[in-house]
Amino acid sequence: MGTGHYLPEKIVTNFDIMKMMDTTDEFIVSRTGVHTRHHAEPDVSATDLALKACEAAVADAGLDMKDIDLIIMNTITPDHADPGSGFFLQGKLGLPGVAVFDIKEQCAGLIYGMAIADSFIKAGTHKHVLIACAEVLSKRIDGSYDGRNIAILLGDGAGAVVVGPTDDPAKGIIATSLGADGSGAKALYTAAPGTGLKRPDCINKDDIDAGRVHFRMDGKAVFENGVAKMSQAVLDAFEANDITFDDLDMLIPHQANLRMLEAIVEKVNAPTDKVFSNVDKLGNMASACLPVALDQARKTGKVNDGDLVLLVAFGSGFVWGSALMRM
Ligand SMILES: CC(C)(COP(=O)(O)OP(=O)(O)OC[C@H]1O[C@@H](n2cnc3c(N)ncnc32)[C@H](O)[C@@H]1OP(=O)(O)O)[C@@H](O)C(=O)NCCC(=O)NCCS
Protein backbone atom coordinates (compact mmCIF):
# COMPACT_ATOMS: atom_id res chain seq x y z
CA MET A 1 0.00 0.00 0.00
CA GLY A 2 2.91 2.34 0.65
CA THR A 3 6.69 2.56 0.77
CA GLY A 4 9.13 5.00 2.37
CA HIS A 5 12.77 5.36 3.14
CA TYR A 6 15.20 7.58 5.00
CA LEU A 7 18.94 8.04 4.59
CA PRO A 8 21.10 10.02 7.02
CA GLU A 9 22.53 13.20 5.50
CA LYS A 10 26.22 12.46 5.89
CA ILE A 11 27.82 10.91 2.80
CA VAL A 12 31.06 8.97 3.30
CA THR A 13 33.37 8.32 0.35
CA ASN A 14 35.93 5.56 -0.06
CA PHE A 15 38.58 8.19 0.63
CA ASP A 16 36.93 8.84 4.01
CA ILE A 17 36.95 5.05 4.64
CA MET A 18 40.69 5.05 3.83
CA LYS A 19 41.19 7.33 6.85
CA MET A 20 39.50 4.70 9.07
CA MET A 21 41.36 1.57 7.94
CA ASP A 22 44.09 0.16 5.75
CA THR A 23 42.30 -0.01 2.40
CA THR A 24 42.16 1.76 -0.96
CA ASP A 25 39.49 3.26 -3.19
CA GLU A 26 40.76 0.96 -5.94
CA PHE A 27 40.23 -2.19 -3.79
CA ILE A 28 36.75 -1.13 -2.67
CA VAL A 29 35.54 -0.16 -6.14
CA SER A 30 37.00 -3.19 -7.92
CA ARG A 31 35.79 -5.74 -5.31
CA THR A 32 32.45 -4.22 -4.30
CA GLY A 33 31.45 -1.43 -6.70
CA VAL A 34 30.74 0.86 -3.72
CA HIS A 35 31.78 4.53 -4.08
CA THR A 36 29.79 6.19 -1.29
CA ARG A 37 27.49 5.30 1.60
CA HIS A 38 25.55 7.27 4.23
CA HIS A 39 26.50 7.36 7.91
CA ALA A 40 24.21 8.35 10.78
CA GLU A 41 25.31 10.87 13.40
CA PRO A 42 26.45 9.40 16.75
CA ASP A 43 23.20 10.19 18.56
CA VAL A 44 21.03 8.38 15.99
CA SER A 45 19.71 4.83 16.51
CA ALA A 46 18.17 2.27 14.17
CA THR A 47 14.65 3.13 15.30
CA ASP A 48 15.31 6.87 14.78
CA LEU A 49 15.95 6.05 11.12
CA ALA A 50 13.06 3.57 11.03
CA LEU A 51 10.64 6.18 12.39
CA LYS A 52 11.24 8.51 9.45
CA ALA A 53 10.91 5.69 6.92
CA CYS A 54 7.68 4.49 8.60
CA GLU A 55 6.15 7.98 8.58
CA ALA A 56 6.90 8.26 4.86
CA ALA A 57 5.48 4.79 4.10
CA VAL A 58 2.26 5.36 6.06
CA ALA A 59 1.73 8.74 4.35
CA ASP A 60 2.43 7.12 0.97
CA ALA A 61 -0.24 4.50 1.75
CA GLY A 62 -2.74 7.31 2.43
CA LEU A 63 -3.22 6.12 6.02
CA ASP A 64 -2.92 7.62 9.49
CA MET A 65 -0.41 6.05 11.85
CA LYS A 66 -3.29 4.91 14.07
CA ASP A 67 -4.51 2.67 11.20
CA ILE A 68 -1.47 0.40 11.73
CA ASP A 69 -2.38 -2.71 13.74
CA LEU A 70 0.82 -4.76 13.48
CA ILE A 71 4.49 -3.72 13.46
CA ILE A 72 7.27 -5.95 12.14
CA MET A 73 10.81 -4.71 12.77
CA ASN A 74 14.05 -6.16 11.41
CA THR A 75 17.58 -4.98 12.21
CA ILE A 76 21.05 -6.32 12.96
CA THR A 77 21.92 -3.03 14.68
CA PRO A 78 19.33 -2.90 17.46
CA ASP A 79 18.84 0.17 19.66
CA HIS A 80 19.74 -1.97 22.69
CA ALA A 81 20.62 -5.62 23.32
CA ASP A 82 17.05 -6.28 24.44
CA PRO A 83 14.13 -6.04 24.21
CA GLY A 84 13.65 -5.96 20.45
CA SER A 85 13.92 -2.68 18.57
CA GLY A 86 10.29 -3.00 17.49
CA PHE A 87 9.27 -2.06 21.02
CA PHE A 88 11.32 1.13 20.90
CA LEU A 89 9.93 1.88 17.45
CA GLN A 90 6.36 1.34 18.64
CA GLY A 91 6.81 4.08 21.26
CA LYS A 92 8.21 6.52 18.71
CA LEU A 93 5.32 5.76 16.34
CA GLY A 94 2.85 6.48 19.15
CA LEU A 95 1.14 3.11 18.84
CA PRO A 96 0.83 1.71 22.39
CA GLY A 97 -0.99 -1.62 22.47
CA VAL A 98 -0.25 -2.51 18.86
CA ALA A 99 1.36 -5.94 18.40
CA VAL A 100 5.09 -6.02 17.63
CA PHE A 101 7.22 -8.66 15.99
CA ASP A 102 10.97 -8.41 16.09
CA ILE A 103 12.35 -10.67 13.41
CA LYS A 104 16.01 -11.43 12.87
CA GLU A 105 16.30 -12.36 9.23
CA GLN A 106 19.23 -10.08 8.43
CA CYS A 107 19.24 -8.93 4.78
CA ALA A 108 16.07 -10.93 4.01
CA GLY A 109 14.03 -9.09 6.68
CA LEU A 110 11.68 -7.39 4.23
CA ILE A 111 10.83 -10.62 2.43
CA TYR A 112 10.21 -12.58 5.64
CA GLY A 113 8.23 -9.60 6.95
CA MET A 114 6.10 -9.51 3.80
CA ALA A 115 5.40 -13.25 4.05
CA ILE A 116 4.25 -12.80 7.67
CA ALA A 117 2.18 -9.71 6.83
CA ASP A 118 0.58 -11.47 3.86
CA SER A 119 -0.47 -14.41 6.07
CA PHE A 120 -1.92 -12.20 8.82
CA ILE A 121 -3.86 -10.11 6.33
CA LYS A 122 -5.18 -13.16 4.47
CA ALA A 123 -6.17 -14.71 7.81
CA GLY A 124 -8.15 -11.53 8.48
CA THR A 125 -6.71 -10.93 11.94
CA HIS A 126 -4.83 -7.73 11.01
CA LYS A 127 -5.43 -5.06 8.40
CA HIS A 128 -2.48 -2.69 8.03
CA VAL A 129 0.96 -4.15 8.72
CA LEU A 130 3.96 -1.83 8.93
CA ILE A 131 7.30 -3.48 8.17
CA ALA A 132 10.43 -1.52 9.11
CA CYS A 133 14.01 -2.45 8.23
CA ALA A 134 16.67 -0.11 9.60
CA GLU A 135 20.42 -0.34 10.09
CA VAL A 136 23.09 1.84 11.66
CA LEU A 137 25.95 -0.34 10.46
CA SER A 138 28.48 2.50 10.71
CA LYS A 139 28.51 1.95 14.48
CA ARG A 140 29.68 -1.60 13.87
CA ILE A 141 32.62 -0.81 11.61
CA ASP A 142 35.80 -2.61 12.60
CA GLY A 143 38.71 -1.42 10.49
CA SER A 144 41.13 -4.06 11.81
CA TYR A 145 42.68 -6.60 9.43
CA ASP A 146 39.98 -9.15 10.34
CA GLY A 147 37.06 -6.75 9.96
CA ARG A 148 37.94 -4.62 6.96
CA ASN A 149 36.63 -7.05 4.32
CA ILE A 150 33.07 -6.33 5.46
CA ALA A 151 33.58 -2.82 6.88
CA ILE A 152 34.11 -1.37 3.39
CA LEU A 153 30.66 -2.49 2.27
CA LEU A 154 28.50 -1.02 5.00
CA GLY A 155 26.07 1.91 4.91
CA ASP A 156 23.24 3.23 7.10
CA GLY A 157 19.60 3.68 6.15
CA ALA A 158 16.01 2.62 6.70
CA GLY A 159 13.07 1.54 4.61
CA ALA A 160 9.49 0.68 5.43
CA VAL A 161 6.46 -0.74 3.68
CA VAL A 162 2.77 -0.93 4.54
CA VAL A 163 0.97 -4.12 3.56
CA GLY A 164 -2.82 -4.28 3.56
CA PRO A 165 -5.82 -5.84 1.83
CA THR A 166 -6.83 -4.91 -1.70
CA ASP A 167 -10.10 -5.22 -3.63
CA ASP A 168 -8.15 -5.64 -6.87
CA PRO A 169 -7.27 -9.34 -7.25
CA ALA A 170 -4.59 -8.49 -9.82
CA LYS A 171 -2.61 -6.40 -7.31
CA GLY A 172 -0.44 -7.12 -4.31
CA ILE A 173 1.79 -9.92 -3.11
CA ILE A 174 1.44 -12.83 -5.53
CA ALA A 175 3.91 -15.24 -3.91
CA THR A 176 6.66 -15.33 -1.34
CA SER A 177 9.29 -18.03 -0.96
CA LEU A 178 11.52 -18.39 2.10
CA GLY A 179 14.68 -20.42 2.67
CA ALA A 180 17.44 -20.85 5.24
CA ASP A 181 20.55 -22.94 5.92
CA GLY A 182 21.89 -22.62 9.45
CA SER A 183 25.01 -24.62 8.60
CA GLY A 184 26.35 -21.32 7.20
CA ALA A 185 25.56 -19.32 10.34
CA LYS A 186 29.20 -18.71 11.25
CA ALA A 187 30.24 -17.57 7.77
CA LEU A 188 29.05 -14.09 8.76
CA TYR A 189 28.36 -13.57 12.44
CA THR A 190 29.17 -11.77 15.66
CA ALA A 191 30.25 -14.18 18.39
CA ALA A 192 29.79 -11.98 21.48
CA PRO A 193 27.82 -11.34 23.55
CA GLY A 194 26.55 -14.92 23.44
CA THR A 195 25.68 -17.93 25.56
CA GLY A 196 27.21 -20.06 22.81
CA LEU A 197 30.71 -19.02 23.85
CA LYS A 198 30.73 -22.00 26.26
CA ARG A 199 31.79 -19.96 29.30
CA PRO A 200 30.12 -18.77 32.47
CA ASP A 201 29.74 -15.24 31.04
CA CYS A 202 28.27 -13.88 27.80
CA ILE A 203 30.77 -11.08 27.33
CA ASN A 204 34.03 -9.95 28.87
CA LYS A 205 36.86 -7.56 28.12
CA ASP A 206 38.76 -10.18 26.15
CA ASP A 207 35.82 -10.38 23.67
CA ILE A 208 36.30 -6.70 22.94
CA ASP A 209 40.09 -6.99 22.66
CA ALA A 210 39.86 -10.09 20.44
CA GLY A 211 37.23 -8.54 18.14
CA ARG A 212 34.51 -11.08 18.98
CA VAL A 213 32.02 -8.20 19.25
CA HIS A 214 32.51 -7.40 15.55
CA PHE A 215 31.18 -8.99 12.36
CA ARG A 216 33.49 -11.66 11.05
CA MET A 217 32.92 -12.80 7.48
CA ASP A 218 34.23 -15.56 5.30
CA GLY A 219 33.90 -13.37 2.21
CA LYS A 220 34.25 -16.16 -0.33
CA ALA A 221 31.63 -18.39 1.31
CA VAL A 222 29.20 -15.49 1.57
CA PHE A 223 29.87 -14.46 -2.02
CA GLU A 224 29.41 -17.95 -3.46
CA ASN A 225 26.32 -18.80 -1.42
CA GLY A 226 24.78 -15.39 -2.00
CA VAL A 227 25.12 -15.64 -5.77
CA ALA A 228 23.87 -19.24 -5.83
CA LYS A 229 20.89 -18.70 -3.53
CA MET A 230 19.71 -15.41 -5.02
CA SER A 231 20.06 -16.73 -8.58
CA GLN A 232 18.13 -19.89 -7.67
CA ALA A 233 15.48 -17.79 -5.91
CA VAL A 234 14.90 -15.88 -9.15
CA LEU A 235 14.70 -19.05 -11.25
CA ASP A 236 12.42 -20.77 -8.71
CA ALA A 237 10.07 -17.77 -8.61
CA PHE A 238 9.93 -17.76 -12.41
CA GLU A 239 9.13 -21.47 -12.56
CA ALA A 240 6.60 -21.45 -9.72
CA ASN A 241 4.71 -18.48 -11.19
CA ASP A 242 5.19 -19.42 -14.85
CA ILE A 243 6.89 -16.15 -15.83
CA THR A 244 10.10 -15.03 -17.58
CA PHE A 245 11.96 -11.73 -17.83
CA ASP A 246 9.51 -10.85 -20.65
CA ASP A 247 6.74 -10.69 -18.03
CA LEU A 248 8.79 -9.09 -15.27
CA ASP A 249 9.19 -5.29 -15.12
CA MET A 250 11.86 -5.09 -12.41
CA LEU A 251 14.08 -7.43 -10.41
CA ILE A 252 15.18 -5.81 -7.15
CA PRO A 253 17.94 -7.88 -5.53
CA HIS A 254 19.50 -7.31 -2.12
CA GLN A 255 22.31 -4.83 -2.73
CA ALA A 256 25.07 -6.99 -1.24
CA ASN A 257 27.78 -5.74 -3.54
CA LEU A 258 28.01 -4.94 -7.24
CA ARG A 259 30.16 -7.94 -8.12
CA MET A 260 27.57 -10.25 -6.60
CA LEU A 261 24.80 -8.49 -8.54
CA GLU A 262 26.77 -8.83 -11.77
CA ALA A 263 27.28 -12.54 -11.14
CA ILE A 264 23.54 -13.01 -10.52
CA VAL A 265 22.64 -11.07 -13.68
CA GLU A 266 24.91 -13.39 -15.65
CA LYS A 267 23.58 -16.58 -14.02
CA VAL A 268 19.90 -15.81 -14.61
CA ASN A 269 20.53 -14.07 -17.94
CA ALA A 270 18.79 -10.89 -16.81
CA PRO A 271 18.41 -7.82 -19.03
CA THR A 272 20.39 -5.19 -17.07
CA ASP A 273 17.70 -2.53 -17.54
CA LYS A 274 15.35 -4.77 -15.52
CA VAL A 275 17.70 -5.05 -12.53
CA PHE A 276 17.64 -2.27 -9.93
CA SER A 277 20.93 -1.24 -8.35
CA ASN A 278 21.97 1.57 -6.00
CA VAL A 279 24.84 -0.15 -4.19
CA ASP A 280 27.41 2.19 -5.79
CA LYS A 281 25.91 5.15 -3.88
CA LEU A 282 24.46 3.54 -0.74
CA GLY A 283 26.68 0.53 -0.04
CA ASN A 284 25.27 -2.55 1.68
CA MET A 285 22.67 -1.48 4.26
CA ALA A 286 21.74 -5.09 5.19
CA SER A 287 17.95 -5.33 5.67
CA ALA A 288 17.38 -1.69 4.69
CA CYS A 289 18.62 -2.35 1.13
CA LEU A 290 15.41 -3.86 -0.23
CA PRO A 291 12.80 -1.43 1.11
CA VAL A 292 15.01 1.56 0.24
CA ALA A 293 15.51 0.20 -3.28
CA LEU A 294 11.79 -0.52 -3.70
CA ASP A 295 10.86 2.98 -2.59
CA GLN A 296 13.53 4.62 -4.77
CA ALA A 297 12.42 2.52 -7.77
CA ARG A 298 8.80 3.64 -7.27
CA LYS A 299 9.58 7.31 -6.61
CA THR A 300 11.92 7.59 -9.62
CA GLY A 301 9.42 5.97 -11.99
CA LYS A 302 11.50 2.82 -12.54
CA VAL A 303 8.62 0.86 -11.04
CA ASN A 304 5.05 1.99 -11.67
CA ASP A 305 1.51 0.95 -10.80
CA GLY A 306 0.65 -2.32 -12.51
CA ASP A 307 4.30 -3.44 -12.82
CA LEU A 308 5.36 -6.97 -11.94
CA VAL A 309 8.27 -6.78 -9.46
CA LEU A 310 10.41 -9.53 -7.96
CA LEU A 311 12.40 -8.94 -4.75
CA VAL A 312 15.18 -11.40 -3.89
CA ALA A 313 17.47 -11.40 -0.87
CA PHE A 314 20.27 -13.31 0.78
CA GLY A 315 21.81 -12.69 4.16
CA SER A 316 23.73 -14.11 7.05
CA GLY A 317 22.20 -17.19 8.60
CA PHE A 318 22.21 -18.15 5.75
CA VAL A 319 18.78 -16.85 4.87
CA TRP A 320 17.19 -16.11 1.51
CA GLY A 321 13.85 -15.57 -0.16
CA SER A 322 11.80 -13.91 -2.86
CA ALA A 323 8.60 -11.91 -3.11
CA LEU A 324 6.69 -11.48 -6.36
CA MET A 325 4.16 -8.67 -6.47
CA ARG A 326 1.97 -6.66 -8.82
CA MET A 327 2.26 -2.99 -7.87
C1 LIG B 1 34.71 -8.99 0.79
C2 LIG B 1 35.35 -9.36 -0.54
C3 LIG B 1 35.32 -8.14 -1.44
C4 LIG B 1 36.78 -9.74 -0.29
O1 LIG B 1 37.33 -10.26 -1.47
P1 LIG B 1 38.14 -11.63 -1.42
O2 LIG B 1 38.91 -11.74 -2.64
O3 LIG B 1 37.18 -12.71 -1.04
O4 LIG B 1 39.07 -11.24 -0.21
P2 LIG B 1 39.75 -12.14 0.87
O5 LIG B 1 39.01 -11.96 2.17
O6 LIG B 1 40.03 -13.54 0.39
O7 LIG B 1 41.07 -11.34 0.94
C5 LIG B 1 41.88 -11.19 -0.21
C6 LIG B 1 42.90 -10.15 0.12
O8 LIG B 1 42.26 -8.86 0.17
C7 LIG B 1 42.60 -8.24 1.40
N1 LIG B 1 41.53 -7.39 1.83
C8 LIG B 1 40.36 -7.75 2.41
N2 LIG B 1 39.64 -6.65 2.69
C9 LIG B 1 40.37 -5.60 2.28
C10 LIG B 1 40.18 -4.21 2.30
N3 LIG B 1 39.07 -3.65 2.80
N4 LIG B 1 41.13 -3.41 1.77
C11 LIG B 1 42.25 -3.93 1.25
N5 LIG B 1 42.50 -5.23 1.22
C12 LIG B 1 41.56 -6.06 1.72
C13 LIG B 1 42.84 -9.37 2.35
O9 LIG B 1 43.64 -8.94 3.42
C14 LIG B 1 43.54 -10.36 1.48
O10 LIG B 1 44.88 -10.01 1.36
P3 LIG B 1 46.03 -11.14 1.55
O11 LIG B 1 45.75 -12.12 0.43
O12 LIG B 1 47.28 -10.36 1.39
O13 LIG B 1 45.80 -11.70 2.90
C15 LIG B 1 34.60 -10.53 -1.19
O14 LIG B 1 34.84 -11.72 -0.48
C16 LIG B 1 33.14 -10.32 -1.26
O15 LIG B 1 32.67 -9.48 -1.97
N6 LIG B 1 32.37 -11.17 -0.53
C17 LIG B 1 30.95 -11.02 -0.40
C18 LIG B 1 30.72 -10.09 0.70
C19 LIG B 1 29.32 -9.59 0.78
O16 LIG B 1 28.76 -9.13 -0.15
N7 LIG B 1 28.78 -9.66 1.98
C20 LIG B 1 27.50 -9.17 2.26
C21 LIG B 1 26.50 -10.23 2.03
S1 LIG B 1 24.95 -9.79 2.56
Side-chain angles (χ1 to χ4, degrees):
M1 294 182 72
T3 60
H5 80 273
Y6 179 76
L7 299 168
E9 265 175 40
K10 187 173 159 195
I11 295 173
V12 173
T13 67
N14 291 344
F15 298 96
D16 298 321
I17 295 289
M18 284 164 62
K19 292 176 198 149
M20 300 177 197
M21 64 194 78
D22 182 14
T23 191
T24 61
D25 175 59
E26 196 275 329
F27 181 92
I28 301 173
V29 172
S30 64
R31 303 295 184 99
T32 74
V34 177
H35 290 267
T36 57
R37 72 288 282 151
H38 291 243
H39 278 185
E41 294 302 325
D43 62 345
V44 169
S45 74
T47 64
D48 290 332
L49 298 184
L51 172 64
K52 293 188 173 158
C54 288
E55 286 171 343
V58 170
D60 187 50
L63 297 174
D64 286 332
M65 196 56 82
K66 63 175 168 34
D67 296 322
I68 299 299
D69 54 7
L70 180 64
I71 300 163
I72 302 176
M73 170 87 200
N74 190 95
T75 183
I76 49 170
T77 54
D79 281 23
H80 299 285
D82 56 81
S85 296
F87 298 94
F88 297 103
L89 178 62
Q90 187 214 47
K92 291 178 185 178
L93 294 170
L95 293 174
V98 167
V100 171
F101 273 113
D102 255 89
I103 58 171
K104 216 155 177 213
E105 304 301 337
Q106 294 67 253
C107 307
L110 179 66
I111 288 171
Y112 270 66
M114 284 173 63
I116 295 167
D118 192 32
S119 300
F120 273 70
I121 288 161
K122 281 184 181 144
T125 56
H126 293 75
K127 203 161 178 201
H128 298 125
V129 184
L130 178 59
I131 307 168
C133 300
E135 309 287 1
V136 186
L137 290 157
S138 60
K139 294 195 186 187
R140 298 208 51 197
I141 282 182
D142 165 29
S144 74
Y145 182 87
D146 292 331
R148 65 181 181 157
N149 65 343
I150 184 155
I152 53 172
L153 287 162
L154 307 177
D156 299 342
V161 310
V162 180
V163 184
T166 172
D167 295 333
D168 184 347
K171 285 201 165 190
I173 299 170
I174 297 166
T176 55
S177 173
L178 310 177
D181 178 4
S183 70
K186 289 194 174 174
L188 173 47
Y189 90 126
T190 305
T195 55
L197 291 165
K198 303 194 189 303
R199 299 184 320 224
D201 53 2
C202 287
I203 187 155
N204 59 37
K205 188 174 172 302
D206 183 51
D207 293 329
I208 296 172
D209 296 341
R212 282 183 216 103
V213 293
H214 294 298
F215 296 125
R216 289 291 176 255
M217 176 174 75
D218 176 345
K220 284 191 177 62
V222 172
F223 191 101
E224 282 164 19
N225 277 279
V227 170
K229 297 301 184 198
M230 279 201 277
S231 304
Q232 196 58 48
V234 173
L235 299 175
D236 288 349
F238 279 8
E239 193 183 340
N241 296 284
D242 196 21
I243 58 168
T244 69
F245 273 110
D246 291 342
D247 308 294
L248 194 72
D249 294 292
M250 191 60 73
L251 170 65
I252 307 184
H254 169 54
Q255 305 289 304
N257 82 44
L258 191 63
R259 278 180 50 223
M260 276 173 79
L261 296 187
E262 287 168 352
I264 293 162
V265 162
E266 200 182 310
K267 261 185 153 263
V268 303
N269 206 10
T272 47
D273 62 331
K274 289 192 175 184
V275 182
F276 187 88
S277 173
N278 60 16
V279 68
D280 58 328
K281 291 192 177 64
L282 304 186
N284 182 334
M285 301 181 292
S287 70
C289 284
L290 272 189
V292 171
L294 177 62
D295 191 46
Q296 285 187 334
R298 286 187 64 226
K299 305 282 162 67
T300 57
K302 289 186 174 149
V303 161
N304 296 295
D305 268 10
D307 281 358
L308 190 64
V309 174
L310 180 66
L311 308 178
V312 288
F314 172 84
S316 65
F318 296 126
V319 64
W320 61 89
S322 70
L324 182 68
M325 58 191 164
R326 179 73 67 183
M327 304 302 295

